[in-house]
Amino acid sequence: MTDILNSNLHRNNCELAESEKELYFDVISILPLPLLLLDLNGNVRTINFAARDFFQNVMEKSLSEGASLEEVFPELYQHLHKFMTSFETELAVPQTVYSINDQEFNLLVNFYRLRNKSAQFTGTMIIISHLTDYKEAEAQLRYISFHDALTKLFNRAYFEEELKRLESGRFDPVGIISCDVDGLKVVNDVLGHQAGDTLLKAAGNIIRSCFRESDVVARIGGDEFAVLLPASNEKVVERAAERLKKAIKQFNAKHPNSSVSISQGWAVRNDTKVQLNKVYQEADHKMYQQKPWNRELFLESFYSMLKMNKDQMYKDEF
């Protein structure tokens, strides 16, 4: 009787294990990422549909159970061998492959160590994903972290990083122009923050248009902008400041209902003993010397426009 019970129990356990195994394979087969289960020799134990399609369409090779990864994908096998002989439990490796028609695929290959209930190493699981998606996400995150969302210019964090980079003196003389948009608070208070945002975007576009690709144009915060001009002496920086003044006049002539006024001051470092932060403070001080006069002129222009045509002022038309 005991033998019969043990036999039935063993049979039930086997059936249960087989059922769980089938369910396990069913789950693997429908995963959207290419997935391989390999034995200790690097041969394929299980391969899902996504992996079959990947090897067939990208590698133009057929991969099925029992196949040797070393023969089908020798570059990947080298990473597998290194992983299998290490003590790592998982490993992520970027891998570039080329299809027969020379199309480039940037992949991220993840290796995971498989163990049985006794914690013995029984093989490796490989999951393949497109690195392009990760790179695009990383690039987007980097862009967001270093750019101002409103004006699309560099932000304060990037500006400060560039200050540190230029501190070495390799790009001296370095010029700095400090800019401040006049009357932003009045525009916000009278016409609303949308009009204020339009003013800031217009100011950002004007400033950006006056400088070289190698120059760093940044919105420092609020109504403050700053420009770093590497390898620029006094004449170069002065000409850039004059271009900005001219560009502001041209913009105002073209957009009579969206008048822009920008106070500015500049300074140049010729001596590497002087810190760039000191040069920036000098440029900022010169800018604030202009600020009261420019602000009064802007307010006269603003209130004049307000009397004439309030509804058309600072519409986002550029």
Side-chain angles (χ1 to χ4, degrees):
M1 185 67 176
T2 302
D3 291 341
I4 295 175
L5 288 174
N6 287 338
S7 177
N8 289 337
L9 181 62
H10 177 71
R11 185 174 65 254
N12 289 338
N13 285 339
C14 288
E15 290 176 354
L16 180 60
E18 194 64 31
S19 175
E20 290 178 346
K21 185 177 179 181
E22 289 178 2
L23 177 61
Y24 177 64
F25 287 153
D26 286 343
V27 171
I28 289 176
S29 67
I30 62 174
L31 289 176
L33 294 176
L35 183 147
L36 305 171
L37 298 182
L38 308 177
D39 62 21
L40 293 174
N41 297 315
N43 297 324
V44 178
R45 285 164 43 190
T46 304
I47 178 171
N48 69 354
F49 293 126
R52 291 180 191 274
D53 291 342
F54 169 78
F55 281 93
Q56 185 68 45
N57 298 327
V58 175
M59 305 294 294
E60 298 192 6
K61 296 178 180 180
S62 178
L63 188 64
S64 57
E65 282 82 357
S68 169
L69 186 67
E70 184 177 14
E71 295 177 2
V72 178
F73 203 158
E75 299 88 355
L76 191 59
Y77 180 80
Q78 293 178 6
H79 297 298
L80 171 65
H81 180 71
K82 181 180 178 181
F83 175 66
M84 290 173 63
T85 55
S86 72
F87 294 98
E88 300 292 335
T89 56
E90 59 183 76
L91 175 69
V93 177
Q95 180 75 47
T96 300
V97 299
Y98 295 89
S99 62
I100 297 299
N101 60 2
D102 289 331
Q103 184 178 359
E104 181 180 286
F105 290 87
N106 295 304
L107 309 174
L108 184 66
V109 184
N110 290 276
F111 298 85
Y112 300 94
R113 194 174 291 270
L114 298 176
R115 299 181 185 276
N116 59 20
K117 293 182 179 179
S118 301
Q120 294 176 316
F121 179 35
T122 60
T124 305
M125 177 169 66
I126 295 178
I127 299 178
I128 302 173
S129 55
H130 286 279
L131 188 57
T132 305
D133 297 337
Y134 290 92
K135 287 184 175 180
E136 289 177 354
E138 185 180 29
Q140 182 66 16
L141 182 60
R142 179 174 176 80
Y143 180 89
I144 292 171
S145 64
F146 283 135
H147 285 79
D148 172 56
L150 179 66
T151 64
K152 311 306 180 186
L153 299 176
F154 291 117
N155 60 16
R156 188 184 193 94
Y158 186 84
F159 180 82
E160 291 179 348
E161 285 295 318
E162 286 298 288
L163 270 183
K164 294 176 184 177
R165 185 178 71 87
L166 296 174
E167 196 69 69
S168 66
R170 290 190 300 119
F171 300 94
D172 275 8
V174 175
I176 301 179
I177 299 179
S178 176
C179 303
D180 197 281
V181 179
D182 300 311
L184 177 63
K185 185 178 185 305
V186 174
V187 173
N188 282 333
D189 291 344
V190 176
L191 298 176
H193 286 276
Q194 185 173 351
D197 287 348
T198 299
L199 173 59
L200 286 171
K201 286 191 283 186
N205 289 337
I206 294 169
I207 297 171
R208 171 69 271 180
S209 69
C210 297
F211 296 93
R212 305 166 299 184
E213 287 296 322
S214 58
D215 299 329
V216 178
V217 182
R219 182 186 176 200
I220 303 301
D223 54 6
E224 300 174 50
F225 294 79
V227 185
L228 282 170
L229 297 91
S232 302
N233 58 29
E234 282 83 355
K235 289 185 178 180
V236 173
V237 179
E238 186 176 14
R239 284 199 297 267
E242 289 300 321
R243 281 199 306 272
L244 179 54
K245 291 178 183 178
K246 184 178 179 181
I248 294 169
K249 289 180 181 179
Q250 291 175 341
F251 177 89
N252 289 339
K254 188 176 179 180
H255 302 88
N257 295 318
S258 303
S259 180
V260 173
S261 176
I262 302 174
S263 296
Q264 61 169 307
W266 60 269
V268 176
R269 182 179 79 169
N270 292 298
D271 184 355
T272 54
K273 294 179 181 179
V274 178
Q275 291 185 337
L276 284 176
N277 273 328
K278 295 291 185 181
V279 180
Y280 180 35
Q281 289 173 10
E282 181 184 348
D284 213 37
H285 177 70
K286 291 179 180 178
M287 180 272 293
Y288 276 110
Q289 287 179 326
Q290 288 188 8
K291 187 74 177 172
W293 172 252
N294 286 348
R295 185 175 183 276
E296 289 303 315
L297 289 177
F298 173 80
L299 291 179
E300 288 180 16
S301 173
F302 175 79
Y303 287 119
S304 176
M305 288 189 298
L306 194 64
K307 290 179 181 179
M308 293 175 60
N309 201 357
K310 177 180 177 180
D311 293 337
Q312 295 301 317
M313 291 177 64
Y314 295 99
K315 298 299 181 183
D316 199 350
E317 57 183 271
F318 33 82

